[in-house]
Amino acid sequence: MNVADAEIKSLLETYKKISVYGLSNDPSKPSHYVPVYIRDKGWEVVGTYPKEHNVGGFAIYKNLKEIPKQDRKFIDVFRSSDKIPEVIDEILELGGTEVVWLQLGISHPEAEKKAEEAGIRVVSNRCLIIEHKKYF
């Protein structure tokens, strides 16, 4: 993680659109209720999920490539830690991402370093709800 604790509030103030990688259709999962919370606090949220769904009223794309580039600046990732290298490779291939946020319990130091070396700000093992409640 190359973002200091003191910078998290600024990131959340700067980026008002978040793309959620793995936005679940199951309201009981964090990959669904975290995006709902963030949307309800004023952020625009779109997501990716391999199966079509309209749960929660989000714009859902089958993959990251389908999300318009201007909407991929801040990507909140809900994938297991072992999948992060392929997620980072996909993000780097597509370009345009400025922040990658790996949710609570998710980290992969080597992949994070690769993203950081490409100029991406990385937050890992942090929950957007917890961080939002700290600062707002």
Side-chain angles (χ1 to χ4, degrees):
M1 181 169 105
N2 67 348
V3 175
D5 288 348
E7 298 173 275
I8 289 177
K9 180 179 181 186
S10 175
L11 282 180
L12 295 177
E13 289 173 332
T14 300
Y15 295 91
K16 290 303 186 181
K17 182 163 246 182
I18 296 175
S19 292
V20 178
Y21 196 112
L23 199 159
S24 176
N25 59 356
D26 182 345
S28 70
K29 291 186 175 183
S31 55
H32 183 84
Y33 66 75
V34 170
V36 168
Y37 174 91
I38 290 300
R39 180 191 60 201
D40 291 350
K41 296 300 179 185
W43 280 263
E44 289 183 62
V45 178
V46 299
T48 67
Y49 199 73
K51 298 176 186 171
E52 287 186 40
H53 75 81
N54 60 3
V55 178
F58 293 102
I60 301 294
Y61 299 86
K62 286 189 179 187
N63 56 56
L64 200 56
K65 186 178 183 178
E66 290 182 5
I67 296 176
K69 188 173 183 176
Q70 70 271 12
D71 297 342
R72 287 189 262 119
K73 290 183 180 183
F74 186 120
I75 300 176
D76 179 24
V77 180
F78 285 93
R79 291 296 312 253
S80 60
S81 293
D82 64 314
K83 300 290 186 193
I84 298 306
E86 64 190 54
V87 171
I88 294 299
D89 286 346
E90 182 180 3
I91 288 169
L92 293 176
E93 181 181 319
L94 293 171
T97 299
E98 298 171 7
V99 177
V100 171
W101 186 292
L102 305 177
Q103 279 294 142
L104 193 62
I106 304 171
S107 66
H108 193 287
E110 295 83 13
E112 292 173 43
K113 185 172 194 255
K114 186 175 184 178
E116 292 166 0
E117 288 173 349
I120 296 174
R121 311 212 41 217
V122 178
V123 177
S124 62
N125 194 27
R126 299 288 177 115
C127 176
L128 276 170
I129 292 176
I130 293 169
E131 298 305 316
H132 179 266
K133 287 181 177 182
K134 278 185 196 177
Y135 301 109
F136 301 96

